Amino acid sequence: MYDEKPQVDNISAEQAHAQAQAQLQAQAQAAVAAAHQEAMLNGWHNPMARIHTGTEPRLPAFGGEFQPGLYRPVKERKFANPAPLGLCAFALTTFILSCVNLKARNLTVPNVVVGSALAYGGLIQLLAGMWEMAVGNTFGATALSSYGGFWISYAILLTPAWNILGADGPYATPEAKAIDPEMAASAVGVFLTGWFIFTTILLLCTLRSTIMFFMLFFTLDIAFLMLACGEYANDNGNALAAGRLTKAGGVFGMLAAFFAWYNAFAGIADSSNSFFLLPVFHFPWSEKGRETRMAAKSDRDQA
């Protein structure tokens, strides 16, 4: 007789790796769930943000935070979220100007937007951008501060006291008229074209975020393009095309205002103040989309 050696199950390297991965994923999911529960109890962030799975809880790309990429560790933020304030300021001012561009209730003179553009869309949005700088959100600081500057500069163009675009302003002098009778329209077109280029740059930074955040910048970008082209058409003497392009700009401006309010509400609403939360629809290739696919794949493998 001889001593029988205890049998040891032979486990392949692939099976061992799969078991290790499943164990690590289970531990990570448990840690994320605990961190999420703690964040909910302490009110650190909007529940819709859905903490990023990793070594520490992070806020993923989210329009309500005005951040197209991963934010910072939740516990480090000592300020309230300034993004909804800036988004609301932008939305209301854009809504008013879009009503004029659409000639709603026979509105054709855009000077009604001056007050909102200076105080709300301008000053308040600029302040929100500076507060985004304080919380470390470079994208939010750049976007909100820049659009605050846009509204202030646009208000200056429309202010009668400055007389920049007035009937007896610098573009209405005999010298300017001799060169181009509609030079003012071309000048405004160049102004809007610059903002179209800037918005395109920001749009490219939202491609890995959420659909609602992307749509805000997409519709705004098209609005700037339509309005700029409308001014160029006016300069070329094509009043019909100018009117249609301006109305198209008004339509896309209305959509941009809606998406700005949508993202603002998503950043404000949580389980403590709202009976429902707005979906933000993460892109499939975004961090959250990748996380969802990995979780679904893990569930299929375990099944």
Side-chain angles (χ1 to χ4, degrees), residues 56-67:
E56 57 185 355
R58 292 178 181 270
L59 298 179
F62 179 47
E65 294 279 347
F66 219 75
Q67 173 58 263

Side-chain angles (χ1 to χ4, degrees), residues 223-281:
F224 277 128
L225 178 62
M226 294 294 102
L227 293 175
C229 291
E231 295 293 341
Y232 294 141
N234 191 29
D235 181 44
N236 292 334
N238 193 335
L240 179 61
R244 290 176 176 176
L245 287 167
T246 300
K247 284 189 175 181
V251 170
F252 282 101
M254 277 290 186
L255 291 173
F258 166 78
F259 286 117
W261 270 319
Y262 189 101
N263 283 280
F265 182 79
I268 296 172
D270 57 31
S271 57
S272 68
N273 59 27
S274 177
F275 289 107
F276 62 93
L277 301 178
L278 294 177
V280 290
F281 307 110

Side-chain angles (χ1 to χ4, degrees), residues 8-12 15:
V8 179
D9 294 336
N10 292 326
I11 301 177
S12 66
Q15 291 175 334

